[in-house]
Structure formats: C-alpha cells, structure tokens
Amino acid sequence: MTPEIIEKLFPNALPSIAEIEAKYPPRSLPEGARVMRVAPSPTGKMHVGTLYQALLAERVAHQSGGVFFLRLEDTDQKREVAGAADLIINSLARYGLRIDEGVGADGQDIGLYGPYIQSQRREIYQAYAKKLLMDGLAYPCFCTAEDVDMMRKIQEKQGLRPGYYGKYAHCRHLTDEQILENLAAGKPWVLRFKSPGKYDNRIVVKDLMKGNLSMPENDMDIVLIKGDGLPTYHLAHAVDDHLMGTTHVSRGDEWLSSVPLHIQLFTALGWKPPKFAHMAPLQKLDNGNRRKLSKRHDPEASITYFWEHGYPEIAMVEYLLNLINASFEDWRKTNPEKSAFDFPMNFNKVSNTAGALFDFMKLNSISKDVVAAMTAEEVYQAVLAWAKTYNPSFADRLLAHDAYVKAILNIERGIGKKSRKDLLKWEDVENDISYFFDELYQPTLADQLALLAGLDEALIRQVAADYRAVYRYDDSKEVWFDKIKQVGAQNGFASDMKAYKADPSAYRGSVADVAKILRVLITGRVQSPDLFAIQQVMGEDRVMHRLMI
Ligand code: GLU
C-alpha cells in the first residue's frame, strides 16, 4: 500500500510507536509477580460474574506480589450507559478488591500505565493500526454491513463457514487504484487485519484453566478499527495488555475461540502474548436445567441485588471464593480467624472450570456464619448503613433505640460455635427483631392460638397467669427455669423430660411445651433466640404486659 493511501486513511498526527513504547516501560516487579486486570465494559448493570472473575484476578495478582488494575472497555459507545463506570468502581471497592492502578473513584487515573479508559486511547490504537497497515498486515475495507450480511447468507446456503476470510475477503484484493477511488468517493471504511493464518492448520492453545486445546489457526480478516475510528475488542486487547504489561489475562470463556486470532495479533505486532485463563460463566438451575446466569433474566445476576437485600459483603466474598475453589471451605474451617483474603489462590486449583453453579442455599449458609462471627456493634453498624439507603424508617428506629437494638443483637452472640445463626442479610433484621418493639408487635390472640394449636385457650391463660405470679426480672437463669417447671407441673406438664418420654399420656405435655406457650406469648413466634435472654433485654414491664391475655 502506498504511503499516500496510508496518509489518506490516517491523516491526523499520531504518536510514533517509539514514543508510545517509551511511555510504557516494562514493569520492574519481583520474579513470579503477576500483572492482572479486570476489564469490564460500562454497559449497565454490574454482573456478579464480573466480581467473581475480578476476585480471582485480584487475589492471584496480589498474592504473587504483582499488580491488579481496572481498565474500562468503552469502545462500543452505542452500548455505553451513564453511571455504569461508577458502579463498577464502587463495586470493586465495596467488596475489598483493591486496585493498584486504573480508574479511581473520582474518574481520575491511578498509575502510570494509563489512560485506563479505552476511549481515551484512540490515538494509541490508531498508531498501531497504522503500523500494521505499513507492515502490510491490514487493509481498508469498504464493504457495508449489508454486503457482509449478504455474503454470510450465501456462505451459509452453500454450507460454508461464514465470515470474512480467503476469497470472501473481498477488500483484501482491492488494488491501490480501487482504494483511492473509494476514498475519493467518500465511502466509509473499516480497517481489517490481513490474517496470515490457514484454517486447516491447527495450533495448541494453552489455557491455565482449560488445559491445552487444539484449535484451528485463525484465518478471519477481522475488523481492527471500526467506522467511528475506535478499535474493536481484539486490537484494543492486544495493544493494552501489551503496553500495560499484563502477564495473565483471565476473562470470560466467550473469548476462548478468539485466542488463535489474539495470538496472531500479538505476533503481528511483534509482541509475546500473555498467558490466558478462561473462566466459564456462572450458572443457575432453572427447572432442573443448568443455564447461564443472565443479566437480562435473573435479578441476582446484578451485583446491586445483593446490596438491596443487604447481603454482608464479606459473605459474598467468602461465597465467591468458595465457588472459585471448593477447597476454600476446608481452609475456612482450619483457619476460622483469618481474613478470607488470606486464602491462597491459584489458577490450577480452580474448581468447576466448566461453570460454577450460583446457589443461594450455600450463600445463605455462609452468610449466617459470617454474621454469627460479627460483634453486635458490627451488625448494628452494617444494618444501619443498609437501612439508611433501603429502609429509612427502620434506620430512624435503629438510631432512636441504639442501645436497645445493640442489646437485642447481642443475644447469644460472642459465644463461638454456639452463637446465634438466625441472621443472614440486613433486610431481614427489621422483621427478625420486630417483636422487641410494642408498636411492631401486634399479634392477635387468634394468631397466637394458631401457633399453639392443640392447647386450649383456658390452659394457655392459666399458664400465663401462673407465670406472671412467679416471674421476677432479677432471677438467675437457673431459678427462672425452675419456675417454668413449677408452672408446668401446676398445670399438668411434666417437668422432667425423661418422665414425660416414659409415659407421655400421663401429662398434657412437657416443660418444652410450657416454654413454647411463653415464647409465643412474648415473641409471637415458635422459634426465637434464648427466651431468658430475650426477657432480660425486653425488660420486666414489657414481658409482664405481653403475658396479660
Ligand atoms: N470488555 C471485555 C468483556 O467485558 C473484557 C474481556 C477481557 O477481560 O479481556 O468481556
């Protein structure tokens, strides 16, 4: 291609390759340090799978003494959504994924290998595109979207592989004169890669998660620079990951089939490709079938779902680590005190390379453990922070009764394995503790009788009255429990479980049924944390009042 054509295609002054390379010197990092990134497109919601991928990359990079950075891939400007970049930045920060470089909270670059927003790197991509043109490895293509579409249909009809390759790569064969004519006519163009590959040749692609894969060489003349002057993902990936010194690219496995192309591009530009690790997308069970967790159909695919429902951040981190690597669970058992971020992460330990199943049962159970290990003060602060955004009237209540709420949350807490495990997400707390507040506790006697089905009303009233007569706020737990037995015995309940089991027909029930009556009257539920502790926190007046039926 003549220099005249090249200048016509790229008339604007572009930085020289030497200038660019000088701005991105090789990083001086210790042996074995890995440079990894998360590179989402700011196209709307933040997918929980992006966090899952980012967590792996962040852990591997930092545990190796390397660098983790954030790059925003916004070259598809049609798909860009305002606020999406902030959501990505906030999400990483919220889950404790520290970026060393990239786009910071104020939109400013952190680090010396930027800009980290692709739309700000237009001239850099163009400089390399121009180089490929000069090296005879690229050419302008004037085919319209309709031309390409029509050709694809013809190929499909003839049972051929669809795409812009070989003899179907029409513009690859244009003469200089034809190119000049098209340019003079003002025809829009894109820049295509002149692939040196042959489809019949096979190459071995090494993937750190999927192993060695035999794949056909790429022979597609893919678009490098689009009509708007911005690069496609392929060119931007090669240029950025080279300049930014990425050593390991971990990304979604939808890119796996493009690796032969990417290797060609790196080679054409004279660079060594990074190592690749392709992760399968998160899946969910839908009517017994596994399918991809989809941003469009599944609310839980979006990270904000977990904010709205108030899942503790650390529970999400622990759950995602568990999904990445099933051995996390054993590690957690043997290292209960350690931070989840200390879990040693490694590509070759990744489980479910074919796709991990997002499972709420497991997340909830991890979340219960996480909340159980928190102090009352930590739970209070987390619930308050959540409520301020998602339930302001509850936030007001938390603030107005802070000492009382902390005492409520402190029930059965801080006692190791026996700590209460009923709380798992902040949105539930209002309902979980509602019975501590008279304004929120308004069960009817009918509701309570329904919970105590099988026991007659007169008996329940008698038990309540007898209990009121003996209840003293200052009693120790032992004395209190003896009094429950005594009230039970007065009303025909066995005070001793063994005696009850030996001859159930001799009693109306056991001491457990007496406790159940009191629990239902005091809390409106059949299950609650320790009843004695609840009464101590509620105070004598409230307890007595509830027993006045
Ligand atoms: N922007 C690409 C995506 O969202 C990033 C892939 C990569 O990490 O290289 O799929």
Side-chain angles (χ1 to χ4, degrees):
M1 199 152 307
T2 64
E4 185 200 355
I5 297 179
I6 295 175
E7 285 314 311
K8 277 199 161 53
L9 291 170
F10 291 104
N12 298 332
L14 293 173
S16 73
I17 299 298
E19 271 165 355
I20 300 173
E21 298 267 341
K23 276 203 197 157
Y24 297 87
R27 294 167 181 275
S28 56
L29 288 169
E31 181 80 21
R34 289 162 173 190
V35 179
M36 299 190 62
R37 82 293 189 283
V38 58
S41 301
T43 54
K45 296 176 186 164
M46 163 102 173
H47 198 294
V48 66
T50 305
L51 186 67
Y52 166 73
Q53 285 179 18
L55 184 58
L56 172 76
E58 187 273 345
R59 285 295 73 211
V60 170
H62 283 150
Q63 287 177 356
S64 71
V67 173
F68 174 62
F69 69 89
L70 165 65
R71 183 169 68 225
L72 289 177
E73 307 215 322
D74 61 344
T75 57
D76 192 352
Q77 304 221 306
K78 287 192 293 287
R79 293 178 59 220
E80 209 178 328
V81 172
D86 286 344
L87 180 61
I88 293 166
I89 295 163
N90 294 340
S91 302
L92 296 176
R94 187 170 178 140
Y95 291 97
L97 274 64
R98 180 173 54 80
I99 59 163
D100 305 292
E101 295 173 15
V103 190
D106 49 7
Q108 296 292 310
D109 273 355
I110 306 164
L112 300 174
Y113 288 77
Y116 298 90
I117 299 183
Q118 289 187 327
S119 58
Q120 296 173 9
R121 302 172 61 76
R122 177 188 293 258
E123 293 192 332
I124 299 174
Y125 305 121
Q126 293 198 347
Y128 284 103
K130 190 171 176 184
K131 178 180 186 300
L132 288 172
L133 203 50
M134 292 192 295
D135 293 345
L137 292 166
Y139 61 88
C141 168
F142 300 91
C143 291
T144 62
E146 292 74 41
D147 294 337
V148 173
D149 207 43
M150 194 161 28
M151 198 182 68
R152 175 182 304 268
K153 283 193 183 127
I154 294 172
Q155 288 167 326
E156 276 166 3
K157 231 187 219 157
Q158 297 178 359
L160 297 164
R161 241 177 348 117
Y164 209 89
Y165 63 94
K167 66 176 182 185
Y168 307 101
H170 175 72
C171 292
R172 182 193 259 243
H173 310 288
L174 294 182
T175 62
D176 286 356
E177 289 69 38
Q178 286 170 313
I179 293 175
L180 283 168
E181 260 169 46
N182 283 334
L183 289 175
K187 282 199 184 168
W189 57 274
V190 297
L191 193 77
R192 282 189 186 271
F193 182 44
K194 196 184 276 182
S195 170
K198 290 204 175 52
Y199 189 72
D200 291 338
N201 291 347
R202 294 196 77 84
I203 58 165
V204 173
V205 167
K206 287 190 191 157
D207 185 273
L208 292 167
M209 286 195 206
K210 313 246 178 200
N212 288 353
L213 303 164
S214 164
M215 292 175 128
E217 231 171 48
N218 172 64
D219 65 347
M220 296 281 167
D221 287 357
I222 55 93
V223 175
L224 297 170
I225 298 281
K226 299 177 291 176
D228 61 5
L230 283 168
T232 53
Y233 169 76
H234 309 296
L235 178 64
H237 152 55
V239 169
D240 290 349
D241 284 318
H242 164 70
L243 293 177
M244 297 178 183
T246 308
T247 60
H248 293 64
V249 167
S250 66
R251 60 185 175 188
D253 67 3
E254 69 272 24
W255 298 111
L256 184 62
S257 60
S258 303
V259 174
L261 159 67
H262 296 159
I263 291 174
Q264 264 180 2
L265 265 177
F266 273 91
T267 310
L269 288 158
W271 304 327
K272 183 170 164 259
K275 293 200 163 63
F276 292 102
H278 288 91
M279 291 181 91
L282 292 177
Q283 303 181 340
K284 75 176 275 176
L285 270 186
D286 187 359
N287 284 326
N289 297 320
R290 271 172 172 255
R291 66 163 173 79
K292 207 165 124 178
L293 194 59
S294 133
K295 268 205 285 198
R296 210 140 19 104
H297 304 295
D298 307 314
E300 73 272 28
S302 173
I303 201 71
T304 49
Y305 174 91
F306 300 92
W307 304 1
E308 287 153 17
H309 293 275
Y311 275 91
E313 282 72 19
I314 193 65
M316 279 299 280
V317 168
E318 298 228 350
Y319 177 58
L320 293 177
L321 287 170
N322 184 79
L323 272 188
I324 296 171
N325 187 335
S327 75
F328 176 81
E329 197 162 352
D330 284 342
W331 178 87
R332 178 39 92 217
K333 277 192 198 124
T334 39
N335 298 280
E337 304 296 333
K338 285 199 176 164
S339 155
F341 287 90
D342 291 335
F343 174 65
M345 186 62 88
N346 209 323
F347 287 119
N348 52 27
K349 287 210 253 157
V350 171
S351 333
N352 297 318
T353 50
L357 199 61
F358 197 92
D359 163 22
F360 272 99
M361 290 256 285
K362 186 75 190 165
L363 169 62
N364 290 346
S365 129
I366 288 181
S367 201
K368 282 182 182 171
D369 288 342
V370 162
V371 180
M374 292 167 77
T375 64
E377 178 68 28
E378 287 166 341
V379 175
Y380 175 82
Q381 294 302 343
V383 178
L384 179 62
W386 173 86
K388 279 183 178 165
T389 307
Y390 298 102
N391 188 346
S393 66
F394 183 45
D396 292 344
R397 182 178 300 283
L398 292 169
L399 286 168
H401 304 279
D402 60 337
Y404 185 44
V405 174
K406 285 177 199 176
I408 295 168
L409 294 171
N410 203 36
I411 293 172
E412 288 187 83
R413 189 168 290 282
I415 44 176
K417 283 207 163 85
K418 289 205 174 129
S419 291
R420 64 191 279 190
K421 284 209 181 155
D422 54 338
L423 301 181
L424 73 97
K425 57 185 189 321
W426 312 139
E427 82 170 340
D428 301 338
V429 174
E430 183 176 34
N431 180 51
D432 281 334
I433 69 171
S434 61
Y435 58 87
F436 283 92
F437 295 90
D438 295 333
E439 325 79 88
L440 303 178
Y441 177 80
Q442 282 152 356
T444 63
L445 186 60
D447 293 338
Q448 293 178 327
L449 292 176
L451 293 175
L452 295 168
L455 296 169
D456 71 55
E457 187 180 332
L459 175 65
I460 293 169
R461 286 183 186 278
Q462 190 59 47
V463 167
D466 290 350
Y467 182 71
R468 277 198 324 264
V470 294
Y471 168 69
R472 297 286 172 277
Y473 181 80
D474 293 334
D475 283 344
S476 68
K477 190 167 182 182
E478 290 69 33
V479 171
W480 167 77
F481 196 58
D482 282 343
K483 286 183 173 176
I484 294 197
K485 287 185 188 166
Q486 179 198 323
V487 168
Q490 277 166 236
N491 289 283
F493 293 88
S495 49
D496 179 274
M497 275 322 257
K498 255 199 208 144
Y500 177 65
K501 280 194 183 136
D503 187 7
S505 63
Y507 303 96
R508 279 186 157 135
S510 76
V511 65
D513 297 298
V514 182
K516 184 174 168 187
I517 295 174
L518 298 174
R519 189 185 307 280
V520 167
L521 295 180
I522 293 169
T523 71
R525 6 197 127 180
V526 283
Q527 272 184 345
S528 75
D530 179 53
L531 187 61
F532 178 74
I534 288 175
Q535 295 182 137
Q536 295 308 97
V537 171
M538 278 187 173
E540 185 167 345
D541 289 352
R542 194 175 267 124
V543 171
M544 288 302 255
H545 184 73
R546 297 209 170 166
L547 296 166
M548 305 274 194
I549 51 161

